[in-house]
């Protein structure tokens, strides 16, 4: 997998570029790629998201997207990873579990303990990466079209956590969202830098 490092990119600009990245991969013109970037403040949501879950104060853009999952925040201090991969020989559920496991390993490399959680039958999805206390660190939402994935994950590295008071993240009302900085500080460890998180994630996802 090829690692592609980008800086801050407007969400709609990245979404348009992603459509092109997917077409390139579907055509076999490029290898699997991991794009690492950040976005200015925005809330994105899937088509099944309830209006009541979205921010009502007009404080940031709210954009409907073509991925799975519900309302998710992107903003400064958060690492976004878009995976454009051919998975024709793998089941979608296996890909999500592989991604969760790789991100947990990356956080362990940074001294952050994290877990994945199984979703009980009939419950809202618990896909993502969590602290052992069930505070959420990483949101995951992917789409698969013609055997190629798009979208991916968002890791709260040093995010503004107050923004989560303005909407219901991932349709999980009452869930505490946290960041790598907050977890590290709670254990007396230095918080990992954004560069360190990028390197750890790329390494565990096999992106070079």
């Amino acid at each position: 997998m090829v690692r592609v490092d980008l800086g801050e990119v407007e969400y709609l600009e990245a979404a348009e570029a992603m459509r092109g990245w997917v077409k390139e991969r579907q055509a076999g013109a490029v290898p699997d790629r991991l794009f690492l970037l950040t976005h200015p403040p925005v809330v994105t949501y899937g088509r099944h998201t309830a209006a009541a879950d979205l921010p009502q104060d007009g404080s940031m853009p709210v954009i409907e997207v073509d991925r799975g999952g519900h309302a998710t925040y992107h903003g400064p201090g958060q690492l976004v990873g878009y995976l454009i991969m051919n998975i024709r020989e793998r089941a979608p559920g296996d890909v999500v579990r592989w991604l969760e496991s790789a991100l947990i390993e990356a956080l362990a490399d940074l001294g952050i303990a994290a877990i994945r959680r199984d979703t009980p039958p009939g419950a809202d999805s618990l896909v993502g990466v969590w602290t052992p206390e069930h505070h959420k660190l990483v949101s995951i939402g992917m789409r698969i079209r013609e055997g190629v994935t798009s979208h991916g994950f968002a890791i709260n590295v040093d995010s503004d956590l107050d923004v989560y008071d303005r909407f219901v993240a991932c349709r999980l009302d009452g869930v505490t969202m946290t960041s790598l900085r907050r977890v590290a500080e709670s254990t007396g460890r230095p918080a990992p830098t954004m560069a360190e998180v990028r390197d750890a994630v790329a390494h565990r996802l096999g992106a070079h």
Side-chain angles (χ1 to χ4, degrees), residues 56-121:
Q56 306 297 319
D57 60 2
S59 59
M60 71 187 89
V62 178
I63 300 172
E64 184 174 1
V65 295
D66 61 354
R67 58 159 171 77
H70 293 276
T72 300
Y73 169 74
H74 298 308
Q78 183 187 76
L79 177 62
V80 173
Y82 290 136
L83 281 161
I84 315 299
M85 302 168 50
N86 179 349
I87 62 161
R88 289 181 176 87
E89 298 178 0
R90 286 185 280 183
D94 292 340
V95 173
V96 171
R97 284 187 287 274
W98 164 78
L99 177 56
E100 288 175 324
S101 297
L103 294 176
I104 288 167
E105 291 170 353
L107 297 186
D109 293 340
L110 298 167
I112 304 290
I115 62 170
R116 65 175 302 274
R117 298 173 66 187
D118 292 321
T119 303

Side-chain angles (χ1 to χ4, degrees), residues 45-56 62 70-71 166-168:
Y45 65 97
R47 60 191 177 93
H48 297 298
T49 302
D53 286 354
L54 300 174
Q56 306 297 319
V62 178
H70 293 276
R166 304 179 206 163
F167 74 103
V168 179

Side-chain angles (χ1 to χ4, degrees), residues 31-47:
D32 293 342
R33 289 184 287 184
L34 169 66
F35 293 85
L36 297 172
L37 61 152
T38 62
H39 291 308
V42 62
V43 169
T44 66
Y45 65 97
R47 60 191 177 93

